Amino acid sequence: MDSINIQNLHFGYDNRVIFNDLSVSFPQGGFCSILGPNGSGKTTLLKCVAGLLKPDSGTIQLNGKPMSEYKMTEMARTLAYVPQYQDIVFDISVFDYVMLGRNPYQTPWEMQRPEDKEVVEDMLQRCKVWKYRDNLLQALSGGERQRVMIARAMAQQTGIMLLDEPLSNIDVTHKFEIMDILQQLNEEQGVSILIILHDLPIAKSYSKQILLLKEGNVLQYGDRNAVLTEGNIRNCFDLSDVYLISEEGFITKKL
């Protein structure tokens, strides 16, 4: 069964069409990176799957069930979403922010159960932000805040995780640590990962599947090695022959 199934998706902003009859499905337990140039529809696609944007037409199913049939709590137990940016307009500690990921499992009369605290502590440790647990989220750097956002999504303990450029503000060391954590979730717990990346070598190293988007259309989709070929990369990003592309996906300019 597919964890995410999208059929005949139509979506647009004002008079601009983003998707016109887009269909694609992602397998249960998959680890798929979405790649493509700016404006290709990557973030819009993720927001449609997360339920943050309502398609003009078409269907999206999660685990074989239409999204329209999900109640809010059930949706929050099924899917976690990590945006690229999130404005925090109120003071909240790192620990309490990650605890928000446990809301779908709590009742008004049973907040912060011992098992919830265990989960939050575990995710803070995994994302290497335990030492910031008492700090205000607003006081953290961009990279530190990004890792806290990932910890919150992990605390939801969902079967599907959507991540929009989670490595954009993170240094090299923590990039690999975060990808290792996501890979572990995928391989050991069967969590389906759908992630937007700009780093082709990292995408090729960690992904099982690759989706190449261009101008709102599926250019190529499938096994990472079959999709991330020199020809597909040149076509997707409109790269001329002045650029060299290695088998690992590194792009350099000829001297």
Side-chain angles (χ1 to χ4, degrees), residues 85-249:
Y85 303 106
Q86 185 168 23
D87 292 328
I88 307 298
V89 296
F90 54 91
D91 290 335
I92 186 171
S93 72
V94 167
F95 188 91
D96 288 340
Y97 178 79
V98 177
M99 181 62 74
L100 293 176
R102 301 301 301 163
N103 281 354
Y105 305 95
Q106 298 169 341
T107 68
W109 304 275
E110 195 178 26
M111 300 293 288
Q112 295 197 12
R113 303 165 302 171
E115 53 264 45
D116 295 324
K117 292 182 179 179
E118 287 182 13
V119 171
V120 170
E121 290 174 5
D122 181 32
M123 300 315 170
L124 288 170
Q125 294 278 11
R126 288 198 196 188
C127 292
K128 303 292 181 70
V129 287
W130 172 251
K131 63 182 179 180
Y132 305 120
R133 61 190 180 279
D134 296 323
N135 292 31
L136 292 178
L137 187 61
Q138 290 176 314
L140 302 185
S141 69
E144 292 162 352
R145 187 182 300 186
Q146 194 72 15
R147 282 185 282 146
V148 172
M149 290 167 60
I150 293 171
R152 174 187 170 175
M154 290 168 55
Q156 281 184 238
Q157 294 185 313
T158 60
I160 301 172
M161 282 190 68
L162 312 178
L163 303 101
D164 188 354
E165 297 188 42
L167 309 182
S168 58
N169 295 311
I170 297 180
D171 59 60
V172 173
T173 300
H174 287 118
K175 281 184 179 182
F176 290 105
E177 288 178 350
I178 290 299
M179 293 304 295
D180 286 342
I181 290 169
L182 296 177
Q183 187 177 59
Q184 185 179 31
L185 286 173
N186 174 254
E187 294 181 350
E188 296 182 5
Q189 299 180 30
V191 176
S192 301
I193 306 290
L194 189 57
I195 181 172
I196 296 174
L197 293 174
H198 281 294
D199 192 314
L200 272 64
I202 286 182
K204 193 166 187 178
S205 296
Y206 286 91
S207 305
K208 296 176 181 176
Q209 300 88 24
I210 298 284
L211 171 64
L212 289 183
L213 278 182
K214 185 176 183 180
E215 298 177 348
N217 296 304
V218 175
L219 185 64
Q220 292 289 336
Y221 173 57
D223 176 78
R224 59 184 177 184
N225 293 316
V227 170
L228 279 186
T229 64
E230 180 177 349
N232 286 339
I233 293 172
R234 288 192 186 279
N235 186 5
C236 186
F237 295 95
D238 294 322
L239 295 175
S240 67
D241 290 338
V242 301
Y243 293 94
L244 300 173
I245 303 173
S246 70
E247 291 185 2
E248 294 78 17

